[in-house]
Amino acid sequence: MSSLRVGARRAEKLHSRYAHGPVRWIVLAVAILVAIAMLAPILIMLLNAFKSAQDYSQNGPLSLPSSFYTNGLATFWNRTNFPIKLLNSIFISGLVAVFGTFLSLITAYALGIGRVRGRTWIIALFLIANMLPQESIIYPLFTMANAVGLSNSQWSVIIIFTVIQAAFGIYLLSSVLSTFPNELLEAAALDGAGRFRTLWSVVYPIMKPTLGVLMVFFFIWTWNEFFIPLVMLTSNDTQTVPIALSSLQGDRMMDAPTINAGALVSLLPALIFFLIFQRTLTRGVTAGSVK
Amino acid sequence: MATTATAPRRRRKASWVGYLPYLLPAIIAFAVIIGYPLAMNLYFSLFRWKGGLAPMRWVGLGNYADLLADEAFWTSFRNSISMIVAMVIIPTIIGLILAAVLFDYLGRCFGPRVAAVLRATYYLPQILPVAVAGIVWNWILNAQDGAVNVFLGQLGVTDPPDWLGNPALAMPSVMLVLIWVQIGYPVVIFMSALQRVDPELYEAAELDGAGWGARFRAITLPQIKPETFVVTLTCTIAALKVFAPVYVLTRGGPEGTTLVPSYYSFLNFFDKSKVGYGAAVATVLTLVIIAIASAILFFQARVEREERGAR
C-alpha cells in the first residue's frame, strides 16, 4: 500500500515536471512539422487532382482549385479502364490473403504443435525464401508460367505470392503455436479428436484473431507488390492498379492533374484499408518484429 | 508435476510423423515456386542465352567473369550503399529519435492520443503502394511541370534544377523519397519496443537527476537493442532488393547514376535479352543478401551472448 502511494506521488512529481515549461510546445511543434512533411506529398496530390490543366499552369501547385474539376479523374478512369484493374487487384490480393493464411496455418500447425523434427532448419529455410530477391526466381517462373499455360494469368501471380507471403506467415505462426496451451491439446486428445479435428475445432478458433491480422497483412502487401505483377501480367485486362498507373508514365497526354487524379484513385483503396485497420496493422508490424 | 510435463512430450515426440501431411503442401509449393526456380536461375547464369526458344550457349563462369569488368555492375552495387544510407541508417536514427520523443515525452505531456495520431501519420507512406507513391514524387520532382519547380518558378527562380534528370542530383532525390517512405517503419517498431521497457527505470534515472539525453543513452538505447537489430536486418535486405522506386522515378538513369542491382538484372532479362547475364547479376545479389543477413544475425547472436555473460 505505502509503496504504491510513494509510486503514485513519484509519478505525479514526474508528471508535473514534464507538464510545465515551454519546451514541450516546441517539441510538439517540431513533431507536427515532421508530420506535415510526411503528409505534404499526399496533400499536394489531393490539391491538384481536381484542377484543370490551365488552372495548374496558371496558378501553380499550391493554389486551391478554381473550380471542382473532375476531368482528370475521368481521363484516368477511362484511359486505364480502372474498374478492371481494381477488380484484378482485389481478386489477386484477396485470394493470396486467404490461401497464404491457410498454408501458413497448416504448416505452422505441423511445425509449432506437431514439433516435426528439424523444424528450426525448416523455418530457417522458409525465412530465406522470404528474403530472396525476386529477380533470382523471376525468369524461371516466367518460363514455367508460359510452359503450363499461365502466361499473363492472374493465377500465376496468386500462386507465387501465396508461397512468398506464407513464408513469413509460417515463421510468425510457428513461434506463436509453439507456445499453444498444452492442456487444450490434451483435452482434445482425451475427447478423441484426431489431428485434423484438433486443428479445426481447437487451434483454428483460438488463432482466429492472429490469422485475421495475417490476412490483412498479406492483402496489403500483395496489393502493393510491383515487380512480379509487372513481369507476369503483360496485358491491359490482367494488370493491377499500381502497374496500370505506372504504365501511363511517359504518356504525352497525361497532364499533371490527370497524374494526380490517377495517383489519388490508386492510393485510395490502400488509404481506406489503412484507416480501417490502422490498429491491426500497427499490432501486426510489431508482432512480426520480435517474437 | 514433472512426470505430467514430460509424459505428453514423449508421446508427441513419437508421433510427429503424423503431422507430416500438414507440412507437405508447403514443402511441395516451396520446391516448385522457390527452390526449382532458384536452381534454374543459377543454371541459366552459366549460359549465354537470349531467352525463349533461342539457343543456349554454355559459357561456364563466363558471365561472372564479365561482371567483374562491367562498370555498370559495380555502379549498381555502389549505389546499394546509398540505398542503405537512405533506407536503413537515416530512417533508423530519425525513427529512434521520433519514437523516443513521441513515447516518453509527447505521450506523457499531451496524452497517448497525440502520440498515436503522430505515429499513424509517420507510418502512412509505408501503407501506400510504393510504385504509386513513386509516381506522385516523380511528378513533384519533374523538371517542367513538377510541383517543386513550378513553385520555384513562381518564386522567381528562372532556372530550377532537374531533380531526377541531373546526374548529380538524381541519387540524392531518390534517397529523399526513400527516406520519406521508410521512416514510419522504425517509428512503429521502436514505439512498441519502448512499451516493453519498465517505466521504473526511467523514474529512477530521473530521480537521480538524469536529463532526457542521458536517459535516452543509458536506458532507451540498450533496452531496445533487439528491435534495432530487427529493423537493421529487414531494412538492409529491403535496401539491397529495392526495385519499384527506382523503376518509377529514374529507371536507373540519368547515365546510370541511380542503377541498382535488381533493376540491372531486370534490364538484362527483359530489355537487353541477356538472360544468362541477368541471371548472374541476380545470383550475385542473392549471395550478397544472404551474406549480409548472416553477418547481421551472427553479430546479434554474439552481442546477446556477451550480454548474458556480463550479467
Side-chain angles (χ1 to χ4, degrees):
Chain A
M1 269 300 261
S2 64
S3 72
L4 242 178
R5 210 172 302 138
V6 170
R9 208 179 304 137
R10 199 189 284 170
E12 199 175 289
K13 202 162 126 204
L14 280 176
H15 186 75
S16 62
R17 195 190 299 174
Y18 268 112
H20 295 296
V23 179
R24 66 196 170 119
W25 293 106
I26 298 169
V27 176
L28 182 68
V30 172
I32 290 175
L33 275 179
V34 176
I36 291 172
M38 298 302 282
L39 282 178
I42 298 163
L43 293 179
I44 202 172
M45 171 198 72
L46 193 66
L47 201 57
N48 290 285
F50 300 105
K51 284 180 188 171
S52 69
Q54 295 93 306
D55 187 1
Y56 179 74
S57 59
Q58 272 164 23
N59 300 321
L62 294 181
S63 69
L64 284 170
S66 55
S67 65
F68 192 71
Y69 184 86
T70 53
N71 255 18
L73 216 60
T75 311
F76 172 77
W77 195 275
N78 297 327
R79 194 179 289 266
T80 57
N81 230 332
F82 190 74
I84 292 180
K85 320 286 172 168
L86 195 62
L87 274 179
N88 286 341
S89 274
I90 293 172
F91 178 66
I92 292 174
S93 310
L95 284 185
V96 169
V98 174
F99 294 160
T101 309
F102 177 75
L103 186 62
S104 304
L105 176 64
I106 59 167
T107 315
Y109 179 59
L111 295 170
I113 288 179
R115 304 200 162 261
V116 166
R117 252 180 105 175
R119 60 182 173 282
T120 324
W121 290 105
I122 298 173
I123 292 171
L125 216 60
F126 285 139
L127 254 188
I128 290 176
N130 196 250
M131 287 186 333
L132 289 175
Q134 293 172 349
E135 289 76 20
S136 69
I137 52 173
I138 192 66
Y139 206 87
L141 285 173
F142 181 68
T143 53
M144 283 160 75
N146 282 335
V148 297
L150 283 180
S151 62
N152 189 28
S153 154
Q154 285 118 329
W155 284 103
S156 62
V157 178
I158 292 168
I159 294 169
I160 295 167
F161 280 125
T162 295
V163 178
I164 292 179
Q165 311 291 33
F168 176 81
I170 291 165
Y171 160 73
L172 184 70
L173 287 185
S174 17
S175 76
V176 175
L177 281 179
S178 63
T179 61
F180 197 82
N182 232 327
E183 306 84 70
L184 288 174
L185 298 172
E186 278 159 27
L190 282 177
D191 287 346
R195 273 178 288 269
F196 179 74
R197 260 219 85 85
T198 309
L199 170 61
W200 188 242
S201 29
V202 179
V203 177
Y204 169 71
I206 290 182
M207 291 298 287
K208 251 185 185 169
T210 313
L211 297 178
V213 174
L214 211 54
M215 273 179 84
V216 170
F217 256 84
F218 289 174
F219 186 91
I220 203 145
W221 286 344
T222 310
W223 187 283
N224 292 352
E225 275 292 341
F226 187 70
F227 181 70
I228 287 180
L230 177 76
V231 172
M232 302 299 267
L233 305 173
T234 44
S235 80
N236 263 322
D237 53 336
T238 55
Q239 277 172 356
T240 59
V241 173
I243 314 293
L245 186 66
S246 82
S247 69
L248 281 187
Q249 264 190 321
D251 188 335
R252 285 278 142 240
M253 295 296 286
M254 287 274 284
D255 48 47
T258 306
I259 291 175
N260 282 294
L264 176 64
V265 177
S266 306
L267 291 179
L268 223 46
L271 209 58
I272 293 169
F273 218 74
F274 171 66
L275 293 176
I276 299 174
F277 291 108
Q278 207 258 106
R279 249 161 231 267
T280 316
L281 286 168
T282 328
R283 210 173 342 123
V285 181
T286 51
S289 72
V290 177
K291 32 163 201 176
Chain B
M1 274 295 268
T3 47
T4 50
T6 50
R9 196 178 299 153
R10 200 175 304 135
R11 196 175 61 223
R12 273 168 56 201
K13 202 178 210 170
S15 66
W16 62 263
V17 177
Y19 285 93
L20 281 182
Y22 295 88
L23 197 57
L24 214 55
I27 289 186
I28 294 171
F30 271 83
V32 175
I33 302 298
I34 312 278
Y36 176 73
L38 199 62
M40 284 312 280
N41 185 75
L42 191 62
Y43 177 72
F44 290 163
S45 76
L46 304 174
F47 290 86
R48 200 148 287 156
W49 181 32
K50 283 189 179 307
L53 295 173
M56 295 173 78
R57 199 158 61 80
W58 172 265
V59 289
L61 295 177
N63 284 324
Y64 294 92
D66 289 350
L67 282 181
L68 293 178
D70 182 351
E71 198 46 51
F73 170 77
W74 290 106
T75 307
S76 73
F77 272 94
R78 256 197 308 280
N79 287 342
S80 284
I81 297 171
S82 305
M83 296 297 163
I84 289 175
V85 172
M87 291 177 71
V88 188
I89 298 175
I90 296 176
T92 306
I93 294 171
I94 297 179
L96 200 57
I97 296 168
L98 285 176
V101 166
L102 285 191
F103 183 81
D104 93 338
Y105 193 84
L106 291 179
R108 281 206 244 171
C109 294
F110 299 95
R113 264 252 135 97
V114 174
V117 169
L118 286 168
R119 181 188 62 185
T121 314
Y122 300 156
Y123 192 64
L124 186 63
Q126 280 270 303
I127 302 297
L128 309 175
V130 65
V132 178
I135 280 158
V136 173
W137 276 101
N138 198 329
W139 158 69
I140 291 175
L141 298 172
N142 188 291
Q144 277 85 45
D145 62 355
V148 171
N149 279 3
V150 171
F151 180 64
L152 286 178
Q154 284 173 340
L155 287 182
V157 178
T158 45
D159 191 20
D162 185 353
W163 302 101
L164 294 169
N166 180 337
L169 289 176
M171 183 50 99
S173 303
V174 171
M175 287 171 75
L176 178 84
V177 175
L178 287 170
I179 293 169
W180 177 80
V181 170
Q182 280 295 105
I183 278 181
Y185 175 68
V187 172
V188 169
I189 301 269
F190 288 144
M191 277 187 80
S192 93
L194 288 170
Q195 275 161 7
R196 251 187 332 107
V197 180
D198 187 352
E200 282 194 5
L201 280 178
Y202 285 105
E203 285 164 18
E206 189 161 359
L207 287 177
D208 286 346
W212 193 83
R215 273 179 294 135
F216 180 74
R217 244 174 293 125
I219 302 171
T220 307
L221 283 182
Q223 288 285 326
I224 62 173
K225 225 181 235 167
E227 281 82 0
T228 313
F229 270 118
V230 170
V231 167
T232 312
L233 179 67
T234 50
C235 293
T236 305
I237 293 170
L240 290 166
K241 294 205 290 194
V242 67
F243 176 85
V246 171
Y247 181 90
V248 294
L249 286 174
T250 61
R251 312 237 161 160
E255 296 165 31
T257 45
T258 59
L259 193 67
V260 290
S262 64
Y263 187 74
Y264 191 47
S265 129
F266 170 83
L267 209 61
N268 277 296
F269 280 143
F270 299 105
D271 242 48
K272 298 182 176 175
S273 293
K274 291 168 76 179
V275 174
Y277 201 63
V281 176
T283 306
V284 172
L285 177 60
T286 308
L287 291 176
V288 169
I289 286 175
I290 292 178
I292 290 182
S294 312
I296 294 176
L297 286 171
F298 176 79
F299 182 64
Q300 176 187 20
R302 211 184 64 182
V303 168
E304 272 175 9
R305 218 179 312 125
E306 272 168 11
E307 271 174 7
R308 226 171 290 135
R311 252 178 244 149

